[in-house]
Amino acid sequence: MLGAADAFRFEEHLAECARCRLMTAEFAGVAAVLERYARPTPPGVGPVAERE
Ligand SMILES: [Zn+2]
């Protein structure tokens, strides 16, 4: 687990490291997708409902 100082350094590192920024962005994207699928399907919406 990251301490406050480590988290701060990581953010500082992210600011100047495109590679880590990309990885973080990809991870955030995956997390958002997982969260979307973890959410219960609202009533009246089929499981294969299309999204615009
Ligand atoms: Zn890096």
Side-chain angles (χ1 to χ4, degrees):
M1 177 135 188
L2 288 180
D6 288 330
F8 180 75
R9 266 197 238 154
F10 181 65
E11 282 178 13
E12 207 173 59
H13 174 84
L14 272 188
E16 52 196 45
C17 182
R19 194 187 171 111
C20 286
R21 265 208 309 274
L22 191 68
M23 277 174 57
T24 306
E26 274 176 18
F27 182 76
V30 170
V33 169
L34 287 180
E35 196 205 327
R36 189 180 305 156
Y37 282 104
R39 220 176 283 152
T41 309
V45 177
V48 289
E50 303 239 329
R51 157 181 296 272
E52 295 153 85

